[in-house]
Amino acid sequence: MSSDLAGVWEVALSDGVHRIEFEHGTTTGKRVIYVDGKEILRRDWMFKLVGKETFNVGKSDTKATINIDAVSGFAYEYTLEINGKSLKKYMENRSKVTSTWVLNLDGTDCRVVLEKDTMDVWCNGQKIETAGEFVDDGTETHFTLGDHNCCVKAVSSGKRRDGIIHTLLVDGTEIAEYNYSDVTPVISHTQN
């Protein structure tokens, strides 16, 4: 990475957390985007220093856009949009349509994501084979991680506003859900 680093963001998708880095050379017009350390876009000698760069992130090719706006004089502000929403709005919406749990199993960090609309389960970027069943108080989605029996229980909260509550059990032990509101941009600043 060069001294032209203007923004770094971490974006949580079903297939994992992706790191997006953006370099902007305000004297050379250079723009470089890295996703997970791999260069995916490079433009040299851009005469227009403001604008947008759109690219895809993750296995599902989620649309991302970096907006480059002039703040004043030679100062620039960089913002990231995911699927047309600000990163903050996207993460707030993401917490409504997915449930995420982060845990350590047998010395390996695991990030388990449930897509509530499809009931698909992902672990560390891989879609997991599941078996669903109806039970007295809701549904259970069973799967294994290594030698561990896992189950996502879906039960009604009894309150219309709260909807369905999803709980992950690993070998019968409940795992606390990951909180997206704790996620903030790594670096997102103006550059002079």
Side-chain angles (χ1 to χ4, degrees):
M1 295 290 136
S2 74
S3 62
D4 292 333
L5 188 64
V8 179
W9 301 270
E10 288 185 347
V11 179
L13 302 176
S14 293
D15 66 347
V17 178
H18 299 280
R19 184 179 176 94
I20 298 170
E21 297 170 278
F22 179 62
E23 292 181 7
H24 187 217
T26 56
T27 54
T28 64
K30 173 183 80 169
R31 297 180 188 178
V32 184
I33 298 173
Y34 299 89
V35 175
D36 299 327
K38 180 181 174 196
E39 183 179 309
I40 61 156
L41 183 140
R42 175 178 289 270
R43 299 187 199 285
D44 290 310
W45 300 107
M46 300 276 299
F47 293 105
K48 188 175 178 189
L49 295 176
V50 296
K52 298 179 180 203
E53 292 296 348
T54 300
F55 55 99
N56 294 326
V57 178
K59 292 181 181 177
S60 60
D61 284 333
T62 301
K63 181 181 167 191
T65 302
I66 295 174
N67 296 299
I68 308 154
D69 297 303
V71 178
S72 64
F74 289 102
Y76 299 90
E77 182 177 68
Y78 307 92
T79 55
L80 178 68
E81 292 179 358
I82 304 293
N83 282 340
K85 296 181 177 106
S86 72
L87 181 58
K88 182 177 185 202
K89 276 276 188 231
Y90 175 79
M91 296 309 273
E92 287 170 1
N93 184 57
R94 186 97 181 123
S95 68
K96 294 175 187 169
V97 298
T98 64
S99 288
T100 302
W101 299 271
V102 177
L103 62 149
N104 188 294
L105 285 178
D106 303 325
T108 302
D109 288 332
C110 297
R111 183 175 177 276
V112 177
V113 178
L114 169 71
E115 293 180 350
K116 294 176 186 177
D117 57 345
T118 62
M119 294 303 287
D120 287 338
V121 176
W122 295 73
C123 180
N124 294 346
Q126 300 297 316
K127 194 171 170 183
I128 301 294
E129 185 82 25
T130 62
E133 69 175 311
F134 290 101
V135 295
D136 288 341
D137 57 351
T139 64
E140 293 182 354
T141 303
H142 298 274
F143 57 98
T144 58
L145 294 175
D147 295 331
H148 301 276
N149 292 317
C150 304
C151 172
V152 173
K153 292 182 69 100
V155 297
S156 173
S157 65
K159 299 174 186 158
R160 183 178 177 156
R161 187 172 176 261
D162 295 338
I164 296 173
I165 297 171
H166 296 87
T167 306
L168 174 65
L169 300 170
V170 176
D171 297 329
T173 302
E174 185 174 329
I175 306 299
E177 190 168 346
Y178 181 74
N179 188 350
Y180 277 103
S181 64
D182 294 340
V183 177
T184 55
V186 179
I187 300 173
S188 183
H189 65 283
T190 58
Q191 178 177 336
N192 292 321

